[in-house]
Each structure stands twice: as C-alpha cells, then as structure tokens.
Amino acid sequence: MRSIPTAAALCCALALSGCGIKGPLYLPQVPPASAKATPPAAVDHSKAPTAPADSR
C-alpha cells in the first residue's frame, strides 16, 4: 500500500528534474556601452550676472 505513493512521488520527482534548459549554465553577454557620458562643462562663476544695486 505504501509503495504506490512512493512510486508516484518518485515519478513526479523524475519528471520535474527534466524541466529547464539543458546543457551548461552560462551568463548572457552584455553589449559594451557605445559612448560614455561626458561630464558637463565647468561653470565660470566669475561671469555670473550680478544683482542690481537697488535690490535691497
């Protein structure tokens, strides 16, 4: 009586072990970035607009 559930569990385990990708595991190849982002140009604060004299 106990052999039927054991045989059923064994058949299920064998069936489930066959699922998935066959062969060796591998990592997908990531393409290299085409162009790196360039940092923004340096800001020259000496040329910034000044506030008017009567801005009090």
Side-chain angles (χ1 to χ4, degrees), residues 35-43:
K36 290 186 175 182
T38 58
V43 177

Side-chain angles (χ1 to χ4, degrees), residues 12-41:
C12 288
L14 288 173
L16 290 175
S17 68
C19 298
I21 297 174
K22 305 290 186 217
L25 297 177
Y26 66 94
L27 293 174
Q29 298 296 324
V30 178
S34 60
K36 290 186 175 182
T38 58

